Amino acid sequence: MSFNPFYILPELILTAGGILVLLAGLSTRKWEAPGKIKPYSPEALALLTLTGALASSLALLWRPEVVKGVSQFGDMIAVDPMAVFFKIVVLACSIFVVFLAADYFQGIRVHRGEFYALLIFATLAASFLSAATDLIMIYLSLEFLSITSYVLVGWLKQDPRSNEASVKYFLYGAVAAAVMVYGMSIFYGLAATTDIAAIHSKLVSYPPDGSPTHIIFLGLLMMMVGFGFKISMAPFHQWAPDTYEGAPTPVTAFLSVASKAAGFAVVLRVLVSVFTPGVVDWTPMIVALSGLTMTVGNLTALPQCNIKRMLAYSSIAQAGYLLLGVAALRLSPLALPAVMLYLFIYLFMNMGAFAVVTMVSARLNSDDIREYSGLAKRSPASAVAMAIFMLSLAGIPPAAGFVGKFYLFAAALQSGDKTLLYLAILAIANTVISVYYYMNVVRYMYFAKPKSDTPLKPSFAMNMVVGFAAAATIIMLISPEPFIQMAKHSAALLTGTP
Amino acid sequence: MPTITLQQFMFGAIALVILGSAILVATLRNIFHCLLFLALSFLGVAGVYLLLSADFLAAVQVLVYIGAITVLMMFALMMTHRVMTTDISQSLTQWWLAPLPIALGIFAVLFRVYVRHGGQALVDTKHHAVPTTGIIGQALLTRYMLPFELASILLLVAMVGAIILAKEDKSDDPA
C-alpha cells in the first residue's frame, strides 16, 4: 500500500485549508461586514484553498500517468481522468459558492468561519466520492458529504424553514444510506471484498446459468437508492424541494451542482466498472428511472411560485436528462462524454442562476418569483444574465444548455435502441414543458410591472460571478469544440470502459 | 441426560438475559427502567460476540451501545423531567397483530437455515480463537488507512457542526 502525495494534492490542500479556515474563523466576528474582507478572513482563505485545489486538479488532468489511471492507497481511490474531471466540477462549484455566500451572509449573523470550513470539507468529501473505488470509501465519502450538508442546510438556526429543511434532508438521507449499505453488504457477501474491481471479477466469474442474477440486481437496486438520493432521482427526490427552499441559497447551489455531480460520478463508476454487460442488464432500470425523474421534475415545477422550489424541481428534471445519458452508456460511446459535458455546462448555468437568486434574495429578502417583476429595469445586467441561464436550462439556443442536451439526445439516438429512442422523445416533450416555467421567470423580469423602481445594486464581486457564468454559457455554445474535447478526454476510467 | 458444553450453557444463559431484558424493555411502564434493561440487553449481545470470539466487536458493543447510546438516551430523559416519572402504557390496541408476520417470517428464515445445515453449528467453534483486535488495528493503519483518516476528519466536522447547531447564540457573542 503506497501513495504519491502529488496524486492526492487537491485533497491534501483541501484538508489543510479546511482546518486553517476553521482557525481563522475564530478571529472573525460574525456580523463583520463583508466589505471589510481581510486577507486572513475565512472567505479569502477558503477562496485561496479552493483555487489551489482546482489548480492542482487541472495540472493532474493531462498528466500521462493520470490519463492511464493510477490507483492509490491500495485500490481505495482511483486517480483517472474521470475522477479529476469531477473534482474540477466540484471545486469550481465551491468557488462559486464562496462568492455567493459572501454576498448572502452580509446581513445575517452566522458563524462565518465554520461555514466556509464545512464547505471546504464537503468539497473534500465530494472529491473523494468522485474517485472512490472501494465500497467502504464510497460509503464513507457519501456519508461525509451528507452529514456536512445536513449541517450546512440548517445553518440559519433562527429560520424554522432552514431547520425543517435540515431535518427532512437528514431523515431521507439516513434511510437512503441504510438501504445503500444493505445493498453493499450483499456484494461483500458475494465477493468477500469491498474493492469494486475485485467484486467485478467475482461477479463475472459465475457460470452463465449459475449467476445469482436476482441477488445482484437487488443489491444494485439498493445501492441506487443511496446514489439516487444524492442525485435527487425520482422516487428518492422528495427531500429536494423543501431542502432547497429552506437552505441558505449558497448551500442550495452547492447541493444542486457539487453534490449532484459527485453522485453522478459514483453512479457512472459503479455502473461502468462493476456491472459490465455479462453481470446484469441495468439499462431498462435506468431508462425507467430517467423517464420518471424528468417527468416528475418538470410537471411539479410548473405550478411553483418560489424560485428556489422551482429550481429544485428543475434540478430533478435535469438529473432525469443526465440519466438518459447514463442509460445509453452501454450502447453508445458518445454517452459518457455527453453526460460529463452536460454536467460541465450545468455547473455554469445553474450556478449562474443561483447567483442571481442569491443577489435578489439578499436584497429583497424574498424568493418569490413575483419579486422578479421588472428586474429588467431594476438591475438590467442581472436580468439579461438570468434570461441566458433560464434559456440554457431549458436547452434553447443561444445558450450552452442546447449543446449539452443535443449531445445527450444524440447519444440516445446513436445507440439505436428502441426504448432509448422513446425515452429521447419523452425527454424532448419534457423540454417543451420546461420552457413554460423557465420562461415564466423571464416574463416576470421583462413584462411584469415592478412593485418598486429602486434599482438593486449587486456588488462588484457578484456582477463578476454572474457575468463570468453568463459568458461561459454563451462561449460553450459558440465554440463547444474544446469543451467536447475535454469531456472526451476525461471520459476514461481506471477499470472498465463503457 | 444430554451433555452440554460450557459454551452451550453460557449461550443459553446469555440468551435468557437478552430475551428477558428485551421483554422487560417492551413491557415496563417506566421509561427509565426500560432504558436500564435495554443496556442489560446490549450487554448480553456483547456476550454473544465474545462467545463467537469477536473480541473487538464485543468491546465496541459495550463502548458504543452501552457507553454512548444508552447514556445519551439517559441524558435526554433526565432533561425531560415529566417523562421520568410518568407511567406510559406500551400496549398497542390497534396494531398488535402487525409485528406477528414479521416475527414469524424471521423465524421461518432462521429455521430454514437451521434445517438446511442439518442442525450443525454454522460457526466453526472448534477453531482456535484468534484475538481480532490486533488484526483489525493493523488493517486500519495499512489497507484502510485512507478511510480511517477520512473518518477522523468526518468526526471533526460532525463535532463542529453539532456545536454550531446546538449552541445558543447570544446577541453580543463573538463567533
Side-chain angles (χ1 to χ4, degrees):
Chain A
M1 207 240 20
S2 64
F3 73 98
N4 180 341
F6 178 71
Y7 294 136
I8 57 157
L9 195 57
E11 284 84 1
L12 290 177
I13 293 177
L14 286 174
T15 312
I19 292 168
L20 214 61
V21 171
L22 208 53
L23 294 176
L26 297 175
S27 69
T28 53
R29 301 174 77 79
K30 59 185 162 189
W31 57 89
E32 204 162 45
K36 288 186 283 178
I37 289 177
K38 299 184 200 77
Y40 54 83
S41 67
E43 286 89 352
L45 277 176
L47 207 56
L48 192 71
T49 307
L50 292 166
T51 317
L54 181 65
S56 54
S57 300
L58 283 168
L60 276 174
L61 189 56
W62 275 277
R63 295 274 298 200
E65 321 87 86
V66 174
V67 172
K68 268 192 287 165
V70 222
S71 196
Q72 292 288 289
F73 292 98
D75 297 335
M76 278 292 154
I77 54 167
V79 184
D80 54 12
M82 196 189 90
V84 178
F85 176 87
F86 277 102
K87 272 175 214 175
I88 291 170
V89 171
V90 166
L91 286 163
C93 169
S94 294
I95 291 176
F96 272 114
V97 172
V98 171
F99 279 108
L100 265 57
D103 194 66
Y104 186 80
F105 285 138
Q106 54 188 335
I108 308 171
R109 300 154 51 88
V110 288
H111 299 268
R112 275 165 49 220
E114 290 82 356
F115 179 85
Y116 294 102
L118 256 65
L119 176 68
I120 290 174
F121 285 126
T123 314
L124 173 74
S127 72
F128 268 127
L129 185 57
S130 31
T133 54
D134 190 288
L135 291 183
I136 288 187
M137 205 55 206
I138 291 176
Y139 172 69
L140 187 64
S141 39
L142 202 132
E143 277 295 272
F144 192 159
L145 180 56
S146 297
I147 289 172
T148 322
S149 305
Y150 305 148
V151 179
L152 287 175
V153 166
W155 207 261
L156 304 174
K157 279 191 283 182
Q158 279 80 12
D159 185 353
R161 281 181 313 163
S162 180
N163 304 347
E164 184 197 335
S166 183
V167 170
K168 271 204 176 133
Y169 194 29
F170 167 68
L171 290 177
Y172 272 103
V175 174
V179 176
M180 179 183 72
V181 151
Y182 202 145
M184 287 177 169
S185 76
I186 288 176
F187 292 107
Y188 182 74
L190 287 174
T193 172
T194 52
D195 176 26
I196 62 169
I199 291 175
H200 170 246
S201 40
K202 172 71 187 172
L203 293 186
V204 290
S205 72
Y206 286 113
D209 52 339
S211 170
T213 321
H214 291 99
I215 295 289
I216 295 175
F217 194 75
L218 184 72
L220 171 61
L221 207 62
M222 289 174 119
M223 285 208 305
M224 282 306 288
V225 174
F227 302 156
F229 162 77
K230 272 271 146 260
I231 62 175
S232 67
M233 172 184 82
F236 315 111
H237 66 282
Q238 288 100 334
W239 58 273
D242 291 324
T243 303
Y244 277 38
E245 188 190 345
T249 314
V251 177
T252 311
F254 181 83
L255 290 183
S256 76
V257 178
S259 189
K260 196 176 286 237
F264 266 101
V266 72
V267 168
L268 290 171
R269 190 177 293 281
V270 167
L271 288 182
V272 167
S273 334
V274 183
F275 301 99
T276 48
V279 179
V280 64
D281 185 17
W282 42 258
T283 309
M285 175 181 89
I286 301 287
V287 166
L289 288 171
S290 163
L292 183 70
T293 306
M294 61 175 90
T295 314
V296 165
N298 274 319
L299 290 184
T300 36
L302 287 176
Q304 302 305 326
C305 359
N306 180 302
I307 191 137
K308 279 160 85 181
R309 270 189 105 78
M310 188 274 268
L311 284 172
Y313 285 112
S314 134
S315 100
I316 295 168
Q318 303 283 344
Y321 302 138
L322 283 159
L323 281 171
L324 164 68
V326 177
L329 217 51
R330 255 190 199 171
L331 301 159
S332 161
L334 215 63
L336 189 54
V339 170
M340 294 169 94
L341 180 69
Y342 196 82
L343 267 169
F344 196 70
I345 295 169
Y346 176 74
L347 159 74
F348 289 101
M349 58 192 184
N350 218 36
M351 289 312 290
F354 272 112
V356 176
V357 172
T358 306
M359 194 280 288
V360 171
S361 81
R363 278 155 194 79
L364 296 179
N365 221 347
S366 162
D367 296 317
D368 198 314
I369 294 181
R370 276 164 296 195
E371 294 288 341
Y372 287 73
S373 304
L375 194 68
K377 287 201 192 75
R378 301 178 78 180
S379 174
S382 312
V384 170
M386 190 65 168
I388 292 172
F389 301 136
M390 289 295 124
L391 284 169
S392 188
L393 283 167
I396 303 173
F402 172 71
V403 181
K405 277 222 178 85
F406 180 81
Y407 268 87
L408 280 178
F409 295 164
L413 296 181
Q414 195 211 23
S415 67
D417 187 78
K418 262 270 172 56
T419 50
L420 276 171
L421 176 72
Y422 292 142
L423 185 61
I425 293 170
L426 180 69
I428 291 168
N430 265 304
T431 304
V432 176
I433 298 174
S434 75
V435 172
Y436 171 79
Y437 61 84
Y438 288 128
M439 286 305 112
N440 192 27
V441 178
V442 179
R443 184 176 69 87
Y444 270 111
M445 288 192 306
Y446 280 90
F447 303 112
K449 246 185 119 128
K451 268 195 245 161
S452 99
D453 282 330
T454 33
L456 301 177
K457 291 196 191 74
S459 63
F460 175 71
M462 281 309 270
N463 271 332
M464 292 295 287
V465 168
V466 172
F468 178 72
T473 314
I474 300 268
I475 287 168
M476 282 190 281
L477 179 87
I478 297 169
S479 87
E481 201 48 41
F483 302 99
I484 295 169
Q485 283 309 323
M486 184 171 90
K488 280 193 175 150
H489 167 86
S490 308
L493 273 80
L494 178 61
T495 48
T497 39
Chain B
M1 188 184 161
T3 54
I4 54 167
T5 62
L6 182 64
Q7 215 170 17
Q8 282 165 333
F9 176 76
M10 285 306 291
F11 177 77
I14 291 172
L16 275 181
V17 170
I18 296 176
L19 283 178
S21 50
I23 289 170
L24 287 174
V25 170
T27 51
L28 282 180
R29 295 173 80 88
N30 184 317
I31 196 162
F32 195 76
H33 295 165
C34 290
L35 204 53
L36 291 175
F37 278 107
L38 185 67
L40 189 61
S41 175
F42 285 149
L43 196 65
V45 175
V48 173
Y49 288 144
L50 272 183
L51 276 182
L52 295 170
S53 57
D55 50 344
F56 181 73
L57 210 52
V60 168
Q61 168 82 12
V62 172
L63 283 177
V64 173
Y65 280 87
I66 302 172
I69 294 180
T70 320
V71 170
L72 193 71
M73 285 161 97
M74 277 181 194
F75 271 119
L77 271 187
M78 285 169 173
M79 282 171 193
T80 44
H81 289 283
R82 286 221 190 99
V83 187
M84 281 272 286
T85 46
T86 329
D87 278 3
I88 306 160
S89 169
Q90 290 213 47
S91 57
L92 292 165
T93 44
Q94 285 169 334
W95 288 94
W96 64 273
L97 263 176
L100 199 64
I102 301 172
L104 283 177
I106 293 174
F107 178 77
V109 169
L110 289 176
F111 189 72
R112 191 178 139 80
V113 171
Y114 179 78
V115 170
R116 254 189 143 177
H117 289 266
Q120 298 272 308
L122 288 175
V123 181
D124 178 15
T125 45
K126 290 188 190 81
H127 209 75
H128 271 293
V130 186
T132 52
T133 313
I135 306 169
I136 291 173
Q138 267 177 356
L140 277 183
L141 287 178
T142 53
R143 170 150 168 69
Y144 295 100
M145 189 179 91
L146 183 65
F148 183 64
E149 296 295 334
L150 194 62
S152 68
I153 305 178
L154 173 57
L155 282 179
L156 171 73
V157 169
M159 263 194 301
V160 171
I163 292 170
I164 292 282
L165 289 185
K167 196 177 152 207
E168 192 182 0
D169 283 335
K170 295 198 185 73
S171 52
D172 54 339
D173 206 16

